[in-house]
């Protein structure tokens, strides 16, 4: 309706701009870590209005803490690697519980994603003139993990933050910093936005939207002493669970094999150290015993994390376990592990070039979370989830290097799904809003202790029942989520991946080659098992 000049000057441009904005969908994203930023970029590229909500700036997201790298079958080492082999290794590590169609999509997309990050400005270590360098990581026979020293997460997040800021500057993304998610805005049984709180003013804000993407991170607040960010409380997942959104594979909690107690939580000693030649040992008859190399000669110190963590746990009952990095050359430490070396010196007062570091397994990652399908849809229409908060790609055990990949790829998929599929909900509808009362801090320590005592590297029915009884005494949405995790673990009467029960030490494919699903009906938690999708 306007002349060509109207696109560039006068009121015509602004009228067209207003019309375009008013007709586009509004996508609300909860969380500004890697999955949230990835979703924000994709949604903006799809022409949607993006509202990015987070209590802390992206620079404080847990994604910044990722050290080791991101997996992609780039084959720059001439090992005949391929996305198909990456798929096979991921499914094997997942012990059959990951959706093979979703995993196939992720592994196929991985090489393009890493090249995209490179163009975005991520300073990956390079091999030769223009090949991305790759390192070994646990559970994978091929060098497949691209890295930026031992600060890969920081490098990727820096580039992603800058990219999203450009979208903010262009008016395509509106950021709601220092705002916390309270609950969903529901129009009947359809999600039509959310309710958030300004943590500075305590003002409660109602945000209408065509879709909500949750990217709020893992359930670290249930345990307290994990390697993860203390801001990843799990409260968003807990509120969604209270509203009836199912939890999947809640019992699948990854213990990283090599962590150290530091400041009341666990400090990660990256798998990159073992990828570059670090060796696990214990003292036996006053001599170093390299138990992983003896028991698993093919992959040695780079066995999948669930196996390595259990072996360290067993050996630690007889002798202290150490990670020896003194044989790694100074050049490799300088060029590939400098961040790790600095952290050990700063926080542990250990020079990894000269002395081994005592290590124990520590809670690191939650394979379980919000139940989503291949397109990252939840059980509530127009509600999606991506990143560590949802159960996707990793099944019963995650490969190192697949978390950054899963967050980046999952954020893209969730945003594409939301932009294409979210129904045209009338944003001004009289929404149902049920804000839970503010919870007291009382009981958090009891919850953390009960979860830690019950859900160790190795667990059993008695410890799980004891934990269930303790958590049942606590009130609030977070204890409700904790109870769902405990009951999921109790219901899975077998050992598989990260879930190892000494009273059921065998893997039982007949009964449990299925996804654990926990649902809350408003009165009680119900546990069931759902078949894993077949490969198309």
């Amino acid at each position: 309706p306007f002349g060509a000049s109207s696109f560039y000057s006068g009121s015509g441009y602004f009228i067209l701009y207003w019309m375009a904005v008013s007709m586009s969908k509004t996508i609300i994203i909860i969380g500004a870590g890697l999955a949230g930023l990835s979703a924000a970029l994709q949604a903006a590229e799809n022409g949607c209005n993006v509202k990015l909500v987070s209590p802390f700036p992206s620079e404080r997201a847990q994604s910044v803490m990722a050290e080791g790298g991101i997996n992609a079958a780039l084959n720059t080492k001439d090992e005949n690697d391929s996305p198909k082999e990456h798929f096979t290794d991921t499914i094997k590590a997942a012990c059959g519980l990951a959706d093979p169609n979703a995993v196939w999509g992720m592994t196929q997309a991985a090489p393009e994603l890493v090249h995209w990050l490179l163009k975005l400005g991520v300073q990956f270590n390079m091999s030769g003139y223009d090949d991305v360098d790759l390192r070994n990581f646990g559970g994978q026979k091929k060098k497949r993990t691209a890295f930026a020293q031992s600060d890969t997460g920081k490098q990727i997040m820096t580039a992603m933050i800058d990219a999203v800021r450009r979208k903010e500057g262009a008016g395509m993304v509106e950021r709601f910093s220092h705002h916390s998610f309270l609950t969903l805005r529901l129009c009947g049984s359809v999600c039509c936005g959310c309710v958030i709180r300004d943590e500075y003013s305590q003002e409660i804000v109602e945000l209408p939207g065509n879709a909500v993407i949750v990217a709020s991170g893992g359930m670290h607040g249930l345990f307290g002493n994990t390697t993860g960010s203390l801001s990843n409380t799990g409260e968003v997942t807990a509120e969604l669970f209270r509203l009836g959104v199912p939890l999947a594979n809640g019992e699948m909690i990854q213990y990283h094999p090599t962590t150290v107690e530091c400041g009341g939580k666990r400090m990660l000693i990256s798998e990159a150290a073992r990828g570059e030649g670090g060796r696990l040992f214990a003292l036996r008859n006053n001599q170093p015993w390299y138990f992983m190399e003896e028991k698993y000669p093919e992959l040695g110190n780079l066995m999948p994390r669930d196996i390595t963590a259990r072996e360290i746990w067993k050996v630690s009952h007889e002798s202290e376990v150490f990670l020896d990095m003194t044989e790694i050359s100074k050049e490799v430490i300088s060029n590939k592990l400098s961040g790790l070396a600095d952290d050990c010196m700063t926080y542990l007062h250990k020079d990894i070039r000269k002395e081994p570091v005592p290590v124990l397994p520590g809670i690191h990652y939650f394979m379980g979370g919000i139940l989503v399908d291949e397109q990252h849809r939840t059980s509530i229409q127009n509600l999606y989830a991506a990143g560590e908060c949802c159960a996707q790609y990793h099944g019963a055990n995650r490969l190192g290097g697949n978390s950054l990949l899963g967050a980046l790829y999952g954020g893209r998929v969730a945003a594409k799904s939301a932009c294409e599929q979210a129904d045209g909900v009338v944003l001004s509808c009289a929404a149902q809003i049920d804000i839970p009362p503010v919870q007291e801090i009382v009981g958090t320590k009891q919850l953390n202790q009960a979860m830690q005592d019950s859900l160790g590297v190795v667990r059993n029915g008695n410890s799980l029942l004891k934990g269930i009884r303790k958590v049942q005494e606590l009130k609030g949405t977070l204890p409700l989520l904790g109870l769902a995790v405990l009951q999921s673990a109790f219901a899975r009467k077998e050992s598989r991946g990260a879930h190892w029960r000494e009273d059921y030490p065998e893997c039982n494919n007949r009964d449990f080659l299925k996804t654990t699903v926990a649902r809350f009906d408003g009165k009680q938690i119900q546990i069931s098992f759902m078949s894993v999708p077949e490969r198309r």
Side-chain angles (χ1 to χ4, degrees):
F2 301 101
S5 62
S6 300
F7 284 86
Y8 303 102
S9 62
S11 62
Y13 170 82
F14 294 103
I15 292 172
L16 279 179
Y17 176 78
W18 178 84
M19 288 174 65
V21 168
S22 66
M23 290 187 294
S24 62
K25 293 179 179 179
T26 296
I27 308 297
I28 301 167
I29 300 170
I30 308 300
L34 183 54
L37 294 181
S38 177
L41 280 177
Q42 185 65 56
E45 290 291 336
N46 281 31
C48 294
N49 300 319
V50 177
K51 297 183 185 297
L52 186 59
V53 179
S54 64
F56 301 103
S58 294
E59 288 82 355
R60 288 186 59 186
Q62 181 171 312
S63 305
V64 174
M65 301 164 63
E67 297 177 347
I70 179 170
N71 287 340
L74 299 173
N75 198 37
T76 61
K77 299 298 183 181
D78 296 324
E79 295 179 328
N80 294 318
D81 196 15
S82 68
K84 184 177 180 180
E85 291 205 32
H86 184 186
F87 166 83
T88 300
D89 287 347
T90 300
I91 293 294
K92 181 179 179 181
C95 302
L97 293 194
D99 180 343
N101 304 299
V103 172
W104 180 262
M106 179 184 73
T107 56
Q108 289 292 313
E112 180 272 326
L113 283 172
V114 169
H115 286 127
W116 176 76
L117 289 173
L118 200 60
K119 292 176 183 176
L120 209 61
V122 176
Q123 299 295 306
F124 285 115
N125 279 47
M126 305 300 287
S127 177
Y129 176 69
D130 59 356
D131 284 341
V132 175
D133 200 2
L134 302 173
R135 62 170 41 134
N136 286 114
F137 244 48
Q140 303 172 89
K141 297 177 183 178
K142 305 291 177 68
K143 289 183 174 66
R144 186 181 293 140
T145 308
F147 60 97
Q149 290 264 1
S150 51
D151 302 301
T152 310
K154 188 182 297 182
Q155 282 281 348
I156 292 176
M157 282 294 289
T158 298
M160 294 289 287
I161 290 167
D162 286 347
V164 171
R165 281 177 178 157
R166 288 193 287 272
K167 299 295 184 185
E168 290 179 58
M172 304 167 76
V173 174
E174 181 181 4
R175 188 183 284 263
F176 289 77
S177 299
H178 56 80
H179 282 73
S180 295
F181 173 88
L182 292 181
T183 194
L184 292 179
R185 190 174 181 269
L186 295 170
C187 299
S189 60
V190 179
C191 176
C192 55
C194 64
V195 181
I196 61 176
R197 180 178 57 226
D198 187 328
E199 294 300 338
Y200 288 178
S201 67
Q202 299 303 301
E203 177 189 5
I204 293 178
V205 180
E206 192 175 333
L207 279 185
N210 297 93
V212 172
I213 299 173
V214 177
S216 54
M219 302 177 283
H220 296 266
L222 291 178
F223 294 84
N225 67 338
T226 72
T227 64
S229 170
L230 295 176
S231 64
N232 280 18
T233 61
E235 290 173 351
V236 176
T237 299
E239 171 60 8
L240 296 182
F241 183 70
R242 182 187 76 88
L243 293 174
V245 177
L247 182 79
N249 293 334
E251 70 277 16
M252 297 304 176
I253 301 163
Q254 184 171 80
Y255 278 78
H256 195 286
T258 53
T259 73
V260 182
E261 178 72 24
C262 184
K265 59 193 299 291
R266 305 302 300 184
M267 173 178 155
L268 178 69
I269 307 297
S270 173
E271 195 167 286
R274 286 175 284 133
E276 299 296 345
R279 305 172 72 190
L280 291 163
F281 77 91
L283 291 178
R284 188 169 65 176
N285 299 324
N286 294 319
Q287 296 295 319
W289 171 37
Y290 297 98
F291 55 92
M292 289 301 296
E293 297 167 34
E294 178 181 301
K295 292 186 176 183
Y296 306 97
E298 185 175 20
L299 289 178
N301 299 288
L302 287 174
M303 286 294 289
R305 289 179 178 178
D306 58 328
I307 295 173
T308 307
R310 281 197 300 277
E311 292 295 345
I312 293 175
W313 179 83
K314 292 175 186 175
V315 172
S316 68
H317 286 72
E318 304 295 330
S319 172
E320 193 170 20
V321 176
F322 297 88
L323 178 60
D324 183 7
M325 296 167 273
T326 60
E327 295 180 7
I328 302 174
S329 71
K330 292 181 179 179
E331 180 183 5
V332 169
I333 289 177
S334 177
N335 294 331
K336 300 182 178 182
L337 298 173
S338 60
L340 173 61
D342 290 345
D343 287 346
C344 287
M345 182 62 75
T346 300
Y347 299 109
L348 306 178
H349 309 295
K350 295 277 187 182
D351 185 346
I352 65 171
R353 302 167 184 83
K354 299 178 180 178
E355 57 184 325
V357 176
V359 294
L360 280 174
I363 293 173
H364 179 57
Y365 190 91
F366 293 82
M367 281 80 69
I370 298 165
L371 176 65
V372 296
D373 66 8
E374 186 182 346
Q375 298 177 50
H376 284 259
R377 297 176 295 194
T378 73
S379 62
I380 293 182
Q381 191 173 337
N382 296 347
L383 177 66
Y384 304 79
E388 191 179 356
C389 72
C390 72
Q392 188 65 291
Y393 307 118
H394 312 303
N397 180 46
R398 174 179 67 82
L399 287 180
N402 269 359
S403 58
L404 289 175
L405 175 61
L408 186 64
Y409 176 74
R412 276 192 173 189
V413 174
K416 287 180 180 178
S417 298
C419 292
E420 294 169 4
Q421 302 169 7
D423 295 313
V425 177
V426 179
L427 299 186
S428 60
C429 75
Q432 306 161 232
I433 299 174
D434 176 19
I435 301 176
V438 176
Q439 294 180 34
E440 297 288 336
I441 300 299
V442 177
T444 302
K445 288 186 177 179
Q446 293 96 312
L447 172 63
N448 291 164
Q449 194 61 57
M451 300 299 287
Q452 293 167 25
D453 291 344
S454 303
L455 289 160
V457 177
V458 175
R459 55 206 51 168
N460 60 59
N462 290 334
S463 67
L464 290 167
L465 279 176
K466 187 176 180 181
I468 287 170
R469 294 189 186 105
K470 286 184 177 179
V471 175
Q472 282 175 332
E473 298 173 0
L474 306 175
K475 303 298 182 183
T477 56
L478 205 55
L480 179 67
L481 181 65
L483 192 59
V485 171
L486 287 164
Q487 290 187 1
S488 296
F490 184 75
R492 184 175 285 278
K493 293 178 169 60
E494 66 154 359
S495 291
R496 182 183 301 270
H499 176 70
W500 198 265
R501 287 188 56 165
E502 56 188 355
D503 49 348
Y504 293 96
E506 301 300 322
C507 181
N508 179 352
N509 283 334
R510 185 190 66 185
D511 299 323
F512 296 108
L513 185 57
K514 298 176 181 178
T515 298
T516 315
V517 179
R519 289 182 175 86
F520 181 60
D521 62 7
K523 295 181 179 180
Q524 62 182 359
I525 296 169
Q526 299 172 339
I527 306 296
S528 61
F529 291 91
M530 181 178 72
S531 297
V532 177
E534 294 184 3
R535 177 84 170 91
R536 290 194 301 273

